[in-house]
Amino acid sequence: MQELLAQYQSVSEPEVLKWVNVGKAKDFPENGGACIKYKNKQIAVFNFARESKWYACQNLCPHKLEMVLSRGMIGDKEGIPKVACPMHKKTFSLKNGNNLNGEDYKIAVYPVKIEAENVYIGFID
């Protein structure tokens, strides 16, 4: 269990060593998520069209270790963009991965950029 969670570590934009093209912007649902695979990771990508922003995080919910966050509802809590796990309703910040329910576990988040209608996610590996 810990090995699965350990492969996901947040990346900030200045740390990015590699930008990976994960598809065309038009292929991602507006105001929803989709899952992409990068190496051995599943990454949830969100087109937060209401705010003209994009976010990426691990697809693995750390609560029950289910690969479901890409199917979660997105919204905001007091100005913080968030995703809610579709199974257990735990909510996480899409900016820093913090658990918005006050629990200890959090999720890894990754920077996203859009260039020439392509979606890129930043990784360090």
Side-chain angles (χ1 to χ4, degrees):
M1 171 172 109
Q2 289 304 323
E3 312 82 50
L4 190 58
L5 282 171
Q7 68 186 334
Y8 295 100
Q9 300 295 323
S10 286
V11 176
S12 66
E13 195 158 337
E15 297 174 307
V16 171
L17 298 177
K18 178 191 231 180
W19 287 99
V20 177
N21 183 338
V22 298
K24 295 279 187 197
K26 67 179 175 54
D27 295 332
F28 290 85
E30 287 190 1
N31 299 309
C35 182
I36 62 100
K37 188 160 182 175
Y38 173 70
K39 296 188 176 179
N40 60 344
K41 298 176 178 77
Q42 286 190 30
I43 305 296
V45 182
F46 298 97
N47 175 358
F48 214 124
R50 291 188 299 268
E51 298 186 1
S52 299
K53 298 206 181 205
W54 288 74
Y55 298 96
C57 68
Q58 68 189 48
N59 194 37
L60 178 68
C61 179
H63 176 231
K64 294 286 186 181
L65 300 179
E66 300 283 345
M67 295 288 189
V68 295
L69 291 181
S70 64
R71 297 194 314 257
M73 287 181 54
I74 60 172
D76 79 55
K77 179 178 182 173
E78 298 165 3
I80 300 169
K82 67 173 186 166
V83 61
C85 174
M87 295 184 73
H88 307 101
K89 308 304 181 236
K90 304 291 184 189
T91 56
F92 302 93
S93 164
L94 289 170
K95 282 195 172 188
N96 62 20
N98 286 343
N99 185 312
L100 299 175
N101 302 100
E103 294 156 310
D104 284 342
Y105 45 83
K106 57 189 294 184
I107 60 171
V109 295
Y110 302 89
V112 180
K113 68 180 180 178
I114 309 300
E115 287 183 356
E117 297 302 311
N118 291 305
V119 180
Y120 294 85
I121 299 177
F123 294 100
I124 57 173
D125 59 345

